[in-house]
């Protein structure tokens, strides 16, 4: 760590160490969502219970594949893993299938996923605003879709 | 923030909304009082993970997108100052921002697609910054760092912040977020050197504002 960074350690790192999730759990970050999974499969891949998928990224497993809105991604049995008598969905293999980058801290059991590239295609093709999900200061979830029907100024700032 | 609130009140159009996202690393404790002091009534979001910037591929603050009723972006990615600002540093006056943005915004709110400030989908898509897989990965790494920071794991936080910056070295958001947690702060020598370097090299610190005064 550089000298400059160490100059204000209390400012830079003011937080007391605390557990990110209960023992045996895992945490998934995706587009503002912070999801704690109480049960995941062992190993370096992120093996989740199939029912946990919608809460992570909105995809639902259907006979025709993993579906989000009107998009369905065909998936093979290779994304499902039998381990310890349970059937798991390999979320990291699904991300690889989608070309979705992710970074994992295996020791901490935390996976952070970037946006799914195909979900940004509309913005690049016909300038349709990307979907996003944030929580406002009143605790309400706000999505781009909620603003449809109105003109919207989406603006970022910082006190930096 | 008071300026956006003033515009919001002046326009007073139920079919116009502002979503204002504060990227402060300090979160609500830092950004909240600023929103409160402005008596903000628009949608206020504290966004230390830069979710909005990531969605629209912004690389600096303040940046904005205008989105019409159908969800189509009609302007994007400009230095979005609601007015010209002057700050005083020693005997120097530093001026930044512009007074032409707000009238253009109001014109669009009043005239919609007939406003001269509405850009074609072709122009907008060419103005959207393309993000490479590495830059997408940088966003994921940045959020992981923030998670570790808020849980007190400083070494892991530094590791993943550095990974984010190395994957996306052109993100002024990452650079300024980092500088704000250093002794010199976000407007010190490093920042001035960075900004001057962008100007010297002809790089877009912000995309040039394409609005005539």
């Amino acid at each position: 760590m550089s000298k400059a960074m160490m100059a204000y350690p209390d400012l830079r790192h003011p937080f007391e160490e605390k557990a990110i999730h209960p023992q045996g759990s895992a945490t998934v970050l995706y587009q503002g969502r912070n999801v704690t999974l109480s049960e995941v499969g062992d190993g370096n891949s992120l093996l989740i219970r199939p029912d946990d998928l919608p809460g992570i990224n909105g995809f639902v497993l259907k006979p025709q594949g993993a579906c989000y809105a009107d998009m369905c991604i065909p998936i093979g049995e290779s994304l499902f893993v039998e381990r310890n008598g349970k059937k798991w969905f390999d979320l990291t293999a699904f991300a690889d299938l989608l070309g979705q980058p992710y970074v994992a801290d295996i020791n901490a059991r935390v996976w952070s996923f970037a946006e799914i590239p195909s979900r940004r295609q509309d913005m690049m093709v016909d300038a349709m605003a990307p979907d996003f999900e944030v929580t406002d200061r009143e605790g309400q979830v706000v999505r781009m879709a909620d603003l449809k029907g109105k003109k919207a100024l989406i603006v970022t700032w910082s006190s930096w | 923030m008071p300026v956006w609130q003033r515009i919001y009140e002046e326009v007073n159009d139920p079919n116009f909304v502002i979503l204002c996202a504060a990227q402060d690393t300090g979160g609500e404790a830092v950004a909240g009082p600023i929103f409160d002091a402005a008596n903000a009534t628009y949608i206020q979001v504290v966004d230390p993970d830069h979710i909005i910037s990531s969605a629209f591929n912004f690389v600096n603050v303040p940046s904005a997108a205008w989105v019409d009723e159908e969800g189509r972006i009609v302007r994007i990615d400009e230095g979005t100052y609601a007015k010209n600002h002057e700050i005083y540093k020693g005997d120097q006056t530093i001026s930044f921002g512009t007074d032409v943005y707000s009238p253009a915004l109001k014109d669009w709110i009043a005239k919609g697609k007939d406003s001269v400030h509405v850009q074609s989908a072709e122009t907008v898509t060419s103005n959207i910054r393309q993000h490479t897989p590495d830059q997408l990965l940088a966003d994921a790494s940045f959020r992981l760092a923030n998670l570790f920071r808020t849980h007190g794991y400083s070494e892991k936080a530094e590791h993943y912040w550095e990974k984010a910056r190395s994957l996306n070295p052109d993100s002024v958001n990452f650079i300024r977020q980092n500088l704000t947690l250093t002794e010199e702060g976000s407007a010190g020598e490093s920042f001035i050197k960075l900004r001057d370097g962008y100007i010297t090299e002809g790089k877009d610190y912000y995309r040039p504002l394409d609005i005539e005064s």
Side-chain angles (χ1 to χ4, degrees), chain A residues 8 11-13 15 17-18 32 105 112 120 126-129 137 149 151-157 159-160, chain B residues 15 17 19 21 23-24 28 36 44 62-65 67 69-73 140 149 151 156 158 160 178 186:
Chain A
Y8 282 116
L11 171 69
R12 199 167 181 83
H13 295 294
F15 299 98
E17 190 172 312
K18 62 184 177 186
D105 191 302
S112 180
R120 285 287 176 271
D126 57 9
M128 293 305 291
R137 292 183 66 216
K151 295 186 185 76
L153 174 70
I154 313 292
V155 60
T156 63
W157 67 280
S159 63
W160 303 330
Chain B
N15 292 317
V17 294
L19 187 156
Q23 295 192 169
D24 282 278
E28 171 66 25
D36 290 341
Q44 305 148 53
S63 293
V67 182
E69 295 90 333
E70 296 171 353
R72 194 177 304 278
I73 303 166
R149 177 179 187 254
H151 287 78
K156 281 182 182 282
E158 294 293 344
Y160 289 106
N178 181 48
S186 61

Side-chain angles (χ1 to χ4, degrees), chain A residues 133-144:
Chain A
E133 181 179 299
V134 290
T135 303
D136 70 14
R137 292 183 66 216
E138 295 176 345
Q140 301 296 313
V141 173
V142 182
R143 300 178 181 86
M144 187 66 239

Side-chain angles (χ1 to χ4, degrees), chain B residues 101-118:
Chain B
Y101 192 87
S102 296
L105 176 66
K106 289 179 183 175
D107 187 73
W108 169 59
I109 297 164
K111 298 176 184 171
K113 63 183 180 184
D114 294 327
S115 168
V116 296
H117 303 294
V118 165

Side-chain angles (χ1 to χ4, degrees), chain A residues 5 34 38-39 42 53 55 64 76 80 87 90 102 106 122 133 139 142:
Chain A
M5 289 180 182
N34 180 331
S38 60
E39 191 181 20
D42 295 335
L53 185 63
Q64 59 269 43
F80 293 92
K87 189 174 186 181
D90 188 337
Y102 59 88
I106 303 296
D122 287 350
E133 181 179 299
V142 182

